[in-house]
């Protein structure tokens, strides 16, 4: 069977925007929520197991329909962002889902309040719903009394949340001026940032300089906002909710033990020289003595080789099939059911993603396939996500979706399988270079850069509690960069303002390490696969088929992996070390 680059079909969800089936979906949810509200009075800690499970099943049924409605709107919008009907439906479903959520909120509040003994009795009988129920209760020890929670909620609206909105408002209205071909243009941040990948060294430098010009002009104000947000985080999470440290509050949300996060960040720091070695290779490749910070995402190779769409698909099947034929079969299913949109069209979302709706439906994949080697690896990546969801199809709607720390496992692993295949077959050095450098650029951006952000956040939170000024924080950030880049990269002074341009550290403190966690985890797994061969395969498939039905640490422990151990994380860096050695060998 040959596959062509076409648009997907959403017929498995709904026939169309004006279809009676779509309206019936909204009506059905409304009806079910009304009936769900009726159980409110029947919720009792000592309630009968079957009665309790009926409530959970009803809530799952509603979630399934909402997921389908939401997916139809979201996927239609991604397929054509200019489509008015899709835009309108998106707005409608978002509003609708929020209203329905508010009407059913009482359940999770009640559930968190149930005493431990009865909660255990109900969870023990809940089968695959157990982890979903357990996770809701994780925050119980850090939950305050109802009036206190209400005050926090109200004060957040005008406090932390308002500060974050102000941060967005200030930074989103920056207009950047940038000269291209002798003409000065006004640009958004997104447009400006594309010049970081320019072939022209001067454009790369000016792109960063213009961005930090705008941010540093407001440096003191944006820095003050950060100080206030950090104090707020500490006041709420450490002083009131009694988390042992600022980062612990985030770790619990990710359901990762503190020791595992510490081990990850320590090992990253120990391997800092690895990427410095990479940046030296990259400098040589670009024909400069030393890389400037502006150059780290500069393109190195101009590989002309193109891969036809069908040939790419067959390559992915082969790479997956050599691991396990079942995996290749699942990847084929996405194409055979016409759930993959690979076409390049105006107005289509320019990114790539995999979207899983409900456990028993083949996920949807969107790509804008351009035929470069990196487009083939992207195809493998997104199909990896789809396979992850399909392997977990026996779980409930609440538990089939992998949790954040494990979300990139199958995708990155799939990408590695394909990269290995490409590298083993490719004789053209330029193509090999393109593949390897892309892999390393991505690894830097997800592993080392994000780990050092997290390291900085820990330090900044500590400093602010000790009344550090904005300039002192900037100086600490610059030291953080110096440690990260060593003598391999030349840093210019304006990078001390980079931290105030990172929205994540304002909006979701300590979120960034999850990226490093996921990526490094896969490199470690891949290393184990290389060593163990066949005996690794069932363990790996078991990790994927667990979906989100257990805590990440438990799923991995069952496969013999201890995420608290430094040795495990080092295995991930060892894979990168091999890649760097490959690159050093290239002419
Ligand atoms: Zn991904």
């Amino acid at each position: 069977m040959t596959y062509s680059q076409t648009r997907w079909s959403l017929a498995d969800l709904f026939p169309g925007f004006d279809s009676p089936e779509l309206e019936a979906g909204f009506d059905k949810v409304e009806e079910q929520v009304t009936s769900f509200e009726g159980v409110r009075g029947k919720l009792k800690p000592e309630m009968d197991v079957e009665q309790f499970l009926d409530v959970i099943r009803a809530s799952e049924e509603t979630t399934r329909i909402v997921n389908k409605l939401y997916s139809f709107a979201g996927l239609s919008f991604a397929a054509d962002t200019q489509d008015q009907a899709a835009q309108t439906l998106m707005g409608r479903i978002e509003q609708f889902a929020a209203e329905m959520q508010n009407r059913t909120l009482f359940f999770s509040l009640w559930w968190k309040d149930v005493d431990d003994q009865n909660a255990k009795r109900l969870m023990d009988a809940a089968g695959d719903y157990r982890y979903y129920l357990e996770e809701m209760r994780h925050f119980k020890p850090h939950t305050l009394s109802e009036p206190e929670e209400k005050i926090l909620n109200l004060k957040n609206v005008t406090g932390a949340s308002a500060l974050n909105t102000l941060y967005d408002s200030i930074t989103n209205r920056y207009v950047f001026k940038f000269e291209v071909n002798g003409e000065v243009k006004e640009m958004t941040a997104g447009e400006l940032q594309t010049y970081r990948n320019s072939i022209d060294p001067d454009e790369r430098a000016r792109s960063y300089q213009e961005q930090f010009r705008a941010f540093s002009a407001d440096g003191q104000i944006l820095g003050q906002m950060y100080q206030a947000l950090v104090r707020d985080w500490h006041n709420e999470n450490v002083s009131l909710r009694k988390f042992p440290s600022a980062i612990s509050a985030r770790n619990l949300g990710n359901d990762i033990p503190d020791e595992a996060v510490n081990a990850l960040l320590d090992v990253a720091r120990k391997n800092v020289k690895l990427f410095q070695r990479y940046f030296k290779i990259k400098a040589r490749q670009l024909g400069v003595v030393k890389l400037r910070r502006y150059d780290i995402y500069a393109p190195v190779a101009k590989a002309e080789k193109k891969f036809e769409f069908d040939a790419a698909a067959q390559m992915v099947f082969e790479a997956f099939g050599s691991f396990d034929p079942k995996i290749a079969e699942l990847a084929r299913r996405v194409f055979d059911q016409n759930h993959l949109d690979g076409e390049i069209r105006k107005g289509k979302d320019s990114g790539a993603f995999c979207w899983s709706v409900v456990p028993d439906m083949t996920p949807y994949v969107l790509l804008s396939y351009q035929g470069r080697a990196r487009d083939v690896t992207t195809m493998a990546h997104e199909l990896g996500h789809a396979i992850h969801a399909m392997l977990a199809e026996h779980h409930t709607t609440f538990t089939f979706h992998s949790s954040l720390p494990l979300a990139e496992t199958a995708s990155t692993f799939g990408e590695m399988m394909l990269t290995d295949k490409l590298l083993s077959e490719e004789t053209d050095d330029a193509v090999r270079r393109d593949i390897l450098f892309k892999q390393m650029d991505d690894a830097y951006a997800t592993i080392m850069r994000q780990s050092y952000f997290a390291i900085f956040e820990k330090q900044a939170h500590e400093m602010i509690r000790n009344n550090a000024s904005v300039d002192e924080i900037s100086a600490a950030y610059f030291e953080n960069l110096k440690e990260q880049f060593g003598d391999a990269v030349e840093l210019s002074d304006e990078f001390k303002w980079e931290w105030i341009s990172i929205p994540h550290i304002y909006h979701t403190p300590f979120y960034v390490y999850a990226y490093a966690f996921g990526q490094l985890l896969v490199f470690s797994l891949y290393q184990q696969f290389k060593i163990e061969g066949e005996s690794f395969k069932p363990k790996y498939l078991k990790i994927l088929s667990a979906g989100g039905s257990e805590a990440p640490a438990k799923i991995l422990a069952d496969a013999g992996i201890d995420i608290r151990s430094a040795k495990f994380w080092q295995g991930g860096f060892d894979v990168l070390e091999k890649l760097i050695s490959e690159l050093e060998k290239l002419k």
Side-chain angles (χ1 to χ4, degrees):
M1 172 113 190
T2 56
Y3 297 105
S4 52
Q5 208 171 345
T6 50
R7 188 183 182 127
W8 58 30
S9 158
L10 301 179
D12 286 343
L13 290 164
F14 294 99
F17 292 111
D18 301 319
S19 63
E21 288 88 342
L22 188 77
E23 284 312 314
F26 280 100
D27 293 345
K28 186 95 192 143
V29 170
E30 182 92 53
E31 202 180 291
Q32 288 179 354
V33 166
T34 306
S35 114
F36 193 81
E37 285 172 316
V39 307
R40 190 171 189 155
K42 294 178 196 141
L43 295 173
K44 301 265 162 15
E46 11 350 279
M47 75 196 282
D48 177 67
V49 164
E50 263 318 304
Q51 209 185 356
F52 176 72
L53 287 180
D54 280 345
V55 175
I56 308 288
R57 285 188 204 110
S59 144
E60 183 185 15
E61 192 43 44
T62 309
T63 305
R64 284 178 60 88
I65 309 175
V66 172
N67 283 6
K68 286 182 188 175
L69 289 167
Y70 191 74
S71 302
F72 184 73
L75 293 168
S76 303
F77 180 71
D80 184 0
T81 58
Q82 305 305 304
D83 185 344
Q84 299 265 343
Q87 283 173 13
T88 312
L89 186 63
M90 274 289 273
R92 180 178 170 197
I93 178 73
E94 269 168 16
Q95 174 75 31
F96 179 75
E99 282 168 18
M100 294 304 122
Q101 214 169 21
N102 272 346
R103 285 171 59 186
T104 51
L105 196 66
F106 66 89
F107 176 75
S108 64
L109 291 176
W110 168 79
W111 172 242
K112 268 198 264 186
D113 219 36
V114 171
D115 63 280
D116 286 348
Q117 206 186 340
N118 273 308
K120 186 177 181 304
R121 175 182 63 88
L122 295 169
M123 283 192 288
D124 283 348
D128 204 54
Y129 293 114
R130 189 195 47 76
Y131 180 62
Y132 163 72
L133 293 166
E134 189 185 295
E135 230 196 343
M136 273 198 259
R137 288 173 60 87
H138 277 170
F139 283 85
K140 189 179 155 87
H142 305 288
T143 302
L144 307 172
S145 69
E146 197 182 341
E148 287 170 321
E149 289 291 344
K150 280 185 176 161
I151 294 169
L152 277 180
N153 273 341
L154 282 177
K155 285 292 179 187
N156 263 344
V157 176
T158 47
S161 171
L163 272 175
N164 271 314
T165 309
L166 270 175
Y167 173 83
D168 290 344
S169 304
I170 293 175
T171 55
N172 286 329
R173 50 182 261 188
Y174 291 152
V175 177
F176 301 100
K177 292 199 170 68
F178 195 74
E179 192 186 310
V180 193
N181 302 326
E183 196 193 325
V184 178
K185 288 183 178 165
E186 292 197 342
M187 292 184 183
T188 63
E191 289 170 307
L192 182 73
Q193 281 169 14
T194 60
Y195 290 93
R196 293 175 179 184
N197 309 102
S198 167
I199 200 112
D200 174 5
D202 180 53
E203 282 188 352
R204 294 198 293 267
R206 285 191 294 112
S207 155
Y208 280 103
Q209 285 157 358
E210 174 61 6
Q211 185 183 358
F212 295 137
R213 177 198 58 74
F215 275 90
S216 64
D218 286 336
Q220 293 302 326
I221 290 180
L222 298 176
Q224 272 178 42
M225 290 176 155
Y226 184 68
Q227 288 170 317
L229 283 167
V230 166
R231 283 186 196 279
D232 180 76
W233 182 268
H234 189 270
N235 288 343
E236 178 176 333
N237 291 297
V238 181
S239 305
L240 296 173
R241 298 194 185 277
K242 307 287 180 220
F243 280 100
S245 69
I247 197 172
S248 307
R250 175 71 54 212
N251 295 347
L252 188 69
N254 288 336
D255 202 3
I256 305 178
D258 289 354
E259 309 95 275
V261 177
N262 291 338
L264 161 71
L265 295 179
D266 285 348
V267 174
R269 210 164 191 171
K270 284 203 183 89
N271 284 275
V272 71
K273 287 265 182 301
L274 207 58
F275 280 96
Q276 294 173 8
R277 231 171 98 197
Y278 169 66
F279 292 133
K280 286 176 184 168
I281 303 169
K282 190 151 183 178
R284 213 173 61 211
Q285 201 58 231
L286 292 170
V288 295
V289 181
K290 192 174 180 177
L291 211 63
R292 304 167 304 165
R293 170 62 184 80
Y294 309 126
D295 303 322
I296 61 171
Y297 302 120
V300 286
K302 273 205 253 162
E304 304 292 344
K305 182 159 178 174
K306 292 282 183 206
F307 299 83
E308 290 297 327
F309 185 77
D310 180 63
Q314 303 302 338
M315 266 165 79
V316 174
F317 302 151
E318 269 176 50
F320 289 2
S322 68
F323 185 89
D324 189 327
K326 186 167 76 189
I327 303 253
E329 259 333 291
L330 292 173
R332 270 205 188 87
R333 207 166 99 189
V334 181
F335 288 85
D336 291 340
Q337 295 189 7
N338 202 9
H339 279 211
L340 186 139
D341 192 326
E343 235 178 21
I344 298 178
R345 290 189 306 272
K346 214 169 148 247
K348 177 178 158 179
D349 184 330
S350 61
F353 62 73
C354 170
W355 186 311
S356 38
V357 185
V358 286
D360 48 332
M361 184 181 283
T362 302
Y364 285 89
V365 169
L366 180 136
L367 311 165
S368 285
Y369 186 81
Q370 297 181 56
R372 298 162 304 179
R374 53 184 59 196
D375 294 312
V376 190
T377 52
T378 304
M379 184 191 278
H381 180 104
E382 300 309 336
L383 287 168
H385 279 302
I387 287 161
H388 200 164
M390 289 186 273
L391 283 171
E393 67 191 350
H394 52 292
H395 293 291
T396 71
T397 306
F398 298 135
T399 52
F400 85 111
H401 219 281
S402 77
S403 58
L404 180 71
L406 290 177
E408 293 298 331
T409 311
S411 56
T412 314
F413 201 92
E415 209 179 315
M416 306 269 305
M417 290 195 261
L418 184 93
T419 303
D420 263 8
K421 183 178 161 62
L422 277 174
L423 288 174
S424 70
E425 290 169 3
E426 191 52 65
T427 49
D428 182 345
D429 261 358
V431 179
R432 292 171 60 86
R433 254 201 300 277
D434 187 35
I435 298 165
L436 286 167
F437 274 95
K438 165 161 193 290
Q439 209 173 23
M440 283 306 299
D441 283 353
D442 289 352
Y444 167 70
T446 42
I447 297 172
M448 207 45 105
R449 182 171 160 81
Q450 308 301 331
S451 296
Y452 266 84
F453 278 149
I455 290 167
F456 165 71
E457 284 189 88
K458 281 173 85 166
Q459 189 188 359
H461 277 244
E462 196 58 47
M463 285 176 73
I464 289 165
R465 280 189 52 222
N466 292 308
N467 309 308
S469 69
V470 173
D471 287 342
E472 282 164 345
I473 303 168
S474 286
Y477 184 73
F478 201 70
E479 286 304 311
N480 172 291
L481 290 178
K482 281 201 322 222
E483 180 181 318
Q484 204 182 140
F485 293 115
D487 64 351
V489 176
E490 189 190 309
L491 280 166
S492 14
D493 192 52
E494 70 267 21
F495 279 91
K496 71 177 182 212
W497 289 114
E498 187 180 27
W499 62 283
I500 56 166
S501 72
I502 310 295
H504 267 131
I505 71 170
Y506 283 77
H507 292 290
T508 26
F510 306 106
Y511 179 81
V512 290
Y513 76 75
Y515 293 117
F517 186 104
Q519 191 84 0
L520 216 46
L521 168 70
V522 178
F523 284 139
S524 296
L525 287 172
Y526 205 72
Q527 175 77 345
Q528 284 202 2
F529 167 48
K530 285 295 163 84
I531 296 167
E532 295 172 16
E534 283 301 314
S535 68
F536 171 82
K537 292 178 178 177
K539 280 200 292 192
Y540 174 69
L541 294 175
K542 200 176 154 205
I543 293 173
L544 299 190
S545 49
S549 62
E550 272 292 359
K554 170 83 165 58
I555 292 175
L556 293 166
D558 286 349
I561 293 159
D562 178 9
I563 57 171
R564 293 174 178 85
S565 100
K567 198 168 147 251
F568 173 71
W569 295 112
Q570 186 56 46
F573 282 102
D574 293 346
V575 176
L576 287 166
E577 207 277 331
K578 288 209 183 75
L579 280 170
I580 292 171
S581 300
E582 280 270 344
L583 280 172
E584 278 168 340
K585 274 185 260 158
L586 290 174
K587 285 185 289 297

